[in-house]
Amino acid sequence: MGRDKIRLIRDFTKQGIDVLISDIDVVWLKDPIPYFRRYPEADLLVSTDQLRNETKGDALEFHICQTASNIGIMWIRSTEGTQALTEEWVRVIEADPRIWDQVAFNDLKMQGNACSGKRDEKGLMRAYNNKVSMGVLPVALFSNGHTFYVQRMHDELDRGLHPYAVHATFQYGGTPGKRHRMREASVWYGDPPEYYDHAGGYLSFDPFIPADIDLQQFKARGFPTHDSVHKNLERNSPELINHMALVNFQLQQMRDALAIAWVLGRQLVAPPILCGLDRVWFPHYGRFPGSNLKLPFECPLDHVVNIEHIFRRSKDHQLPFKENSFLSSKFLPDPPSAANQLYIKTAPRGNAAPAFARPQPLHPKRIPGSKELLIDGGMTEGKIKGALGPYSNIKYLHLESVIGLFAGFEDLSGIARAFERETYADRSFAAEWCCTTNGPIKYDFIGDRQVAGAGGMFG
């Protein structure tokens, strides 16, 4: 498919047609043509895998050749230079099937020592044997998967910056993971109406984090600390041990909430997850090298949950939970309100958090003015159904906290197995953190639950 794309680019430019290239995993948020037309002298504008913004406002990026271009977003005008470039591009990839089309482009743009010159006043530079005028699209506005979904660069830099597009790169869940990220960011418009109207209603909760984990230790490894300050993490690094504990604590709350939702015939709205460290596919010191990521941060769910594996196992290719932004979706036919949400507290704690935990600071979901209900903690599935089942007419149930609420399944061989089978809530549910110098470490979704058999979890 990649080679066919390059051939089509060549054929169209030969016919005098300007071409906008967009990979299938690019989301367009607004019309980019007015932006491209600001640079009529440019033969070619291309996106980048660069992880930090190095320009001001919405100007073109400074670095053209020092950082890899990403051909998933390209504006190519039909000129003598681009016609020559695309013709040679096709020759290169057809001569060797092992060559990746993007690598071939990055080699060609630097051919003839073309990138040794200086940018002009608009940010353009001569490339490809001095035949092409080329610019790099600003990474805050034509975003990659790290700058948009992880760093949220468009919010960090300037509230007035509104991205034109986001390319779902730098992610860990295959196509299902890309789609879930788009849903989390409220930029996925491909779901049918029934996706937003589960017959049994929804369950959400406010997650907690361990009280004894100091978040400042992660901040020290985030931006603006220079990449060279810290060494790569080892398995016994205190920051990594605490990051794993931080995430596992939240995942195990999601595990119990998933069980409660299943018992009640509801669908869980996944919580936002606070991560102390970034995920990368090679050894690193805490954040993706070269990025401006501040730690700790709200991480995409595919950092910590095996989205692709769960999706592949699903009979209907649906996840057993909704994205954390679901309750604010503009597509909900009956969005949460004080009239249709029940806020549930657990006795005897009431408003007080357990001594070993504190509220996570991300996106509490309580609606002001919603009715409250106080229930006992430590309940098995039968008691959960007895306490909350009578409120099936209320569309949104929200738990103040899930800690200490669910005591497990009484029926290990029947109901517990059915839960695991239907929600894929076993050891493969959690993803892995990557990477130490000795490889990845798997997150612990099961935690304090007694194993109910091979791969099982609820005792």
Side-chain angles (χ1 to χ4, degrees):
M1 181 65 74
R3 281 162 163 70
D4 288 337
K5 176 175 75 174
I6 310 311
R7 295 185 189 102
L8 285 170
I9 296 172
R10 175 199 61 187
D11 294 344
F12 279 124
T13 54
K14 273 187 175 181
Q15 298 300 317
I17 300 171
D18 298 341
V19 181
L20 172 60
I21 297 300
S22 172
D23 277 1
I24 196 170
D25 57 349
V26 173
V27 173
W28 290 95
L29 305 175
K30 59 181 181 178
D31 181 6
I33 300 301
Y35 183 90
F36 298 152
R37 286 179 174 161
R38 288 167 48 181
Y39 300 95
E41 307 90 344
D43 297 312
L44 188 154
L45 299 173
V46 63
S47 63
T48 177
D49 283 335
Q50 185 171 301
L51 295 179
R52 62 180 57 171
N53 186 75
E54 296 188 340
T55 187
K56 293 182 179 179
D58 60 356
L60 296 174
E61 292 288 352
F62 290 129
H63 292 307
I64 294 178
C65 293
Q66 292 90 329
T67 305
S69 297
N70 189 299
I71 62 172
I73 301 175
M74 298 182 78
W75 171 248
I76 305 176
R77 292 177 55 242
S78 176
T79 64
E80 289 186 9
T82 58
Q83 289 171 11
L85 170 61
T86 55
E87 186 68 53
E88 184 167 359
W89 196 358
V90 171
R91 283 201 303 270
V92 169
I93 61 176
E94 288 184 343
D96 187 346
R98 297 169 298 177
I99 294 179
W100 184 21
D101 52 2
Q102 184 162 288
V103 170
F105 173 83
N106 277 287
D107 289 342
L108 287 170
K109 75 181 183 183
M110 293 187 289
Q111 203 171 84
N113 201 29
C115 290
S116 60
K118 293 183 179 181
R119 303 185 329 145
D120 65 20
E121 66 279 1
K122 283 197 169 184
L124 300 172
M125 177 180 282
R126 303 304 297 179
Y128 179 62
N129 298 313
N130 207 37
K131 295 179 180 180
V132 171
S133 177
M134 175 180 162
V136 175
L137 296 167
V139 74
L141 299 181
F142 296 84
S143 304
N144 56 54
H146 199 278
T147 60
F148 187 87
Y149 297 114
V150 178
Q151 296 182 58
R152 295 171 173 81
M153 183 181 288
H154 48 288
D155 287 334
E156 287 289 329
L157 291 176
D158 185 344
R159 295 290 175 179
L161 287 177
H162 302 289
Y164 288 90
V166 54
H167 191 182
T169 54
F170 294 91
Q171 61 87 42
Y172 305 93
T175 298
K178 293 180 179 185
R179 183 165 48 244
H180 194 77
R181 280 198 182 187
M182 294 174 189
R183 286 170 172 159
E184 287 180 325
S186 301
V187 297
W188 173 258
Y189 292 172
D191 288 314
E194 54 267 27
Y195 180 84
Y196 298 96
D197 196 16
H198 187 264
Y202 301 97
L203 179 77
S204 58
F205 72 99
D206 287 334
F208 281 67
I209 59 176
D212 60 350
I213 291 182
D214 181 7
L215 300 180
Q216 292 299 312
Q217 66 188 298
F218 307 123
K219 185 177 180 180
R221 289 179 176 261
F223 182 78
T225 303
H226 195 273
D227 288 350
S228 62
V229 171
H230 297 288
K231 295 181 179 179
N232 288 344
L233 292 159
E234 303 288 349
R235 286 181 177 264
N236 61 353
S237 298
E239 295 88 349
L240 178 55
I241 292 171
N242 285 324
H243 164 77
M244 298 301 293
L246 172 68
V247 172
N248 289 339
F249 192 72
Q250 295 171 86
L251 285 180
Q252 289 156 24
Q253 292 168 70
M254 183 177 175
R255 167 206 68 196
D256 283 3
L258 187 63
I260 294 169
W262 182 83
V263 166
L264 296 173
R266 293 178 175 269
Q267 194 152 45
L268 177 67
V269 177
I273 301 293
L274 184 68
C275 284
L277 303 172
D278 199 0
R279 182 178 178 181
V280 189
W281 49 84
F282 51 81
H284 63 99
Y285 60 90
R287 76 174 191 268
F288 210 116
S291 75
N292 284 1
L293 178 61
K294 296 178 181 179
L295 302 176
F297 71 108
E298 180 184 343
C299 52
L301 197 63
D302 63 86
H303 273 216
V304 299
V305 170
N306 198 343
I307 300 287
E308 183 174 29
H309 182 70
I310 297 169
F311 180 86
R312 301 296 180 205
R313 293 174 65 189
S314 168
K315 293 179 181 179
D316 57 0
H317 283 179
Q318 295 293 327
L319 298 173
F321 48 80
K322 299 298 189 188
E323 62 277 10
N324 62 44
S325 63
F326 179 80
L327 297 181
S328 60
S329 172
K330 65 180 180 181
F331 297 113
L332 286 174
D334 184 20
S337 67
N340 63 13
Q341 184 190 72
L342 181 64
Y343 185 71
I344 302 163
K345 299 180 179 181
T346 306
R349 188 174 72 250
N351 280 321
F356 56 85
R358 68 181 189 270
Q360 182 214 75
L362 302 172
H363 313 307
K365 295 185 176 69
R366 185 181 182 181
I367 304 295
S370 58
K371 293 181 180 179
E372 295 184 0
L373 175 69
L374 184 65
I375 62 174
D376 292 329
M379 293 191 288
T380 56
E381 77 271 19
K383 292 182 179 179
I384 287 280
K385 189 175 292 187
L388 297 178
Y391 300 95
S392 60
N393 61 316
I394 298 179
K395 191 161 189 176
Y396 302 99
L397 299 187
H398 182 76
L399 302 173
E400 171 204 34
S401 171
V402 75
I403 296 173
L405 177 56
F406 187 53
F409 289 103
E410 296 174 358
D411 181 2
L412 286 182
S413 60
I415 295 178
R417 289 295 192 191
F419 164 72
E420 293 171 6
R421 187 171 58 251
E422 293 180 21
T423 63
Y424 319 103
D426 55 24
R427 294 184 188 278
S428 64
F429 192 95
E432 60 186 24
W433 182 85
C434 191
C435 279
T436 69
T437 53
N438 294 316
I441 304 175
K442 191 168 181 60
Y443 290 112
D444 184 4
F445 184 68
I446 296 176
D448 58 346
R449 291 296 179 195
Q450 175 185 341
V451 175
M457 58 173 279
F458 272 99

